[in-house]
Each structure stands twice: as C-alpha cells, then as structure tokens.
Amino acid sequence: METYKLTVNGQPKEVTVNSGTPLLWVLREELKMTGTKYGCGIAACGACTVHLAGVATRSCVVPVSLIGDRPIVTIEGIGQDPVGRLVQDAWVSEDVVQCGYCQSGQIMGAVALLKSTPKPTDANIEESMGGNICRCGTYPRIRQAIKTASRQLK
Amino acid sequence: MVRSGRAMVRLFFFVLVGCAEWSATLAGAQGQGLSSKGTDNPTTRDAGLVAWQQVYSVLTHPRCINCHTATNYPQQGDDRHRHLVNVVRGTEDKGVPGLNCATCHQGANADSTGVPGAPNWHLAPLSMKWQDLNDKILSSAEVCRSITDRSKNHNLDGTGLLKHHAEEPLVRWAFQPGHSRDGTARALPPLTHDEFVAATRTWVEAGTPCPQKR
C-alpha cells in the first residue's frame, strides 16, 4: 500500500492504496465519488471517462501510480467548467438520458471534444464519441446535444 | 521451444554480425574503410545488407509495425487485428479529442490493467507506413527505401536513425512491452534492444544500403 496525493475537481485528496489500483476504484471506493461508472473494466465502453490534465481518460485502466501531479476532473466537477456547464445544460434540454448509466462518460467525452473542436462535424462526433457505448441507443440525442452545446459556445 | 528458437535467432544474428564486422575489419585493412558512401564497397555493402535484414525483422514485428499502418487506425496484438473501440488515427496521429491515444496509454506500462504505455504514445505518420492498405507488410526493400527517404522520415540521416533506434522511448518500449491484462507477457521482437542497435549501427556505417528487389 502506498499513499498518493491527488487533485480531484480542484480539491487535494490523499489515498492509501495498492499502486496498481485503477483510478476508477480510487474515485468510487476511496473517495466515494460514484458519479464515474464502472462499465467494462477494459476501456471498451467509456462509462468511466474522466479528464486527466484535460485529456478524456478511461479511469478503469489507469493505475493510480501513473497519475502523478496531473489534475483530475470528474462528472461531479465538470459543471464548474464553462464548456462542461453548457454540455450538461444541453443534455437536459435535449432530454438525452434514458437509463443514464453511461451518460457521465458521454458528457466527459463530449466536453473533451468541444474544448478541442468547438464546431464539430458529424464525422468528428462519430470518431470522438465512437468509444462511448450506450446500450439504450441514445446516440441521436447525444449528437443533437453536442450540436446544441456547440451553438452556445462563444 | 520458444526459448530455444529465440536462442537460435540470436546465435544466427551474432554469426551474421560477427561476419559483417570481420568483413568490415578486413575492408579497413585493405584501405577500404567505412564512409558515408560505404555502398561503393561491395564487402561493406554486403555486411550492411545483412544487418539491415536484422533491423527489418524487428521493424516488422507486431510490437513495432502495429503502429506503422497505412490505414486510419492502429493495430493490436500479435495477430495485428484492428485496434478495439473504434480508435482512429486523427490528424496528428494521436487519435481524436475524446479518444486520444492518451485516453488509455499512459507514460509507462500499466501492468495491473494490461494497457501498454510509454511517453508520447502515438502512431507513426503515414509517410512511415510499413504496410499496405490491406495490412500486408511491405517488403524489405520497400521498408528500407521508406526509412531512408529523408522526405518521409523527419529528415533523419543514418546517424539520426541510429539515435532514433537507440533512444526513442516508443522504440525502447517494444523491447519492454509489459503484460496483457490476462498477465501474459507480450511477445518480444526477435532481437534484444542492444542487438537491434548494433545491427542498425552496422547498417548505418555501411551507408544504409537497401536491397535491390521490390
């Protein structure tokens, strides 16, 4: 067991865990931040997506020992970001969510896309969000919400 | 059997390199020392070509060639299958926003989760593709011509190529590729890193000769 100092949503945190523990389980089990979801555990579904130094990252496959001093932003904190706020508002206005399980990962992916590509094409959306799986099939509404948020960006 | 086969490959390599070095020594003794245009010297050129084949055997190993594709996506595994979860190349060879290489690949191997990693994980540029669009590996001559074409290889001369093979973290990763998520060690290239660098040096000192065939 080792102790790691992390910055999560701007707040300093300290956890004592096995060095190989994935960030997802540090968030959910140690810090009790359960907004980030476990889906597949092999980076194949995107439900566990968080931002690591601004990069959309699959937290289920990143051991805590490899995080270093990079700041972590989760679904609990993304609303403090202007683009994150717009995306969350668009998610509500477009009524994207069905069961909702994958949606925290979808939103984190969408924010990463819009921060890099404020006016994404359909192809941009398909490529960037292609690794985020939704078993309810809300893809058309996800696409629409991304476009709605994009229009709101200055 | 695997260990035995690998030992045989190494023995073969050392014999070849030994012959090459003996030939080069002999050439030097005859007043035909190495130069940047060493391909004028048949003996040196032969030694260089032997060394090149060793270099080629590493470049076309899955640990290397999986990210030297001609397509819009990288490959994975020893069977070189298309990368899972719809990963695409992107304009900078690092994936796309929301699904970058760094979305999963960190600065070092994550053996607890089975994801390989090294600093600046990315695809080789399309100018450095060593496969065709059907994922067929290009011939030794084709790869050699490509890797020595300074309009395609970030303007690297022989010394630059040697430095790249010796020091580039992604190249070095191929020789310490970590474990898959089932705990199985990933297959290694047919040479050790030291052997790979030695073969590259021999090839570079021979003037980076390429096979004549297509």
Side-chain angles (χ1 to χ4, degrees), chain A residues 112-150:
Chain A
L113 166 62
L114 288 171
K115 279 176 171 284
S116 172
T117 313
K119 301 298 177 189
T121 64
D122 283 354
N124 293 147
I125 295 172
E126 287 174 11
E127 288 182 340
S128 289
M129 302 297 292
N132 287 81
I133 308 303
C134 173
R135 294 191 68 177
C136 299
T138 63
Y139 301 112
R141 297 203 294 273
I142 290 171
R143 179 192 303 251
Q144 190 55 46
I146 290 172
K147 290 185 174 180
T148 297
S150 171

Side-chain angles (χ1 to χ4, degrees), chain A residues 19-22 42-45 52 55-63 66 70 109 112-113 116-117 124 127-133, chain B residues 72 83-91 95-115 117 181:
Chain A
S19 62
T21 306
I42 57 170
C45 76
L52 198 51
V55 176
T57 300
R58 303 292 193 252
S59 64
C60 72
V61 295
V62 178
L66 296 182
R70 292 178 290 175
L113 166 62
S116 172
T117 313
N124 293 147
E127 288 182 340
S128 289
M129 302 297 292
N132 287 81
I133 308 303
Chain B
N72 190 33
H83 198 296
L84 299 178
V85 296
N86 299 316
V87 169
V88 295
R89 173 182 291 276
T91 55
V96 291
L99 198 54
N100 306 96
C101 300
T103 292
C104 296
H105 299 281
Q106 304 299 305
N109 290 325
D111 281 343
S112 67
T113 60
V115 179
R181 62 174 176 263

Side-chain angles (χ1 to χ4, degrees), chain B residues 181-192:
Chain B
R181 62 174 176 263
D182 66 0
T184 308
R186 290 191 176 85
L188 294 166
L191 306 181
T192 68

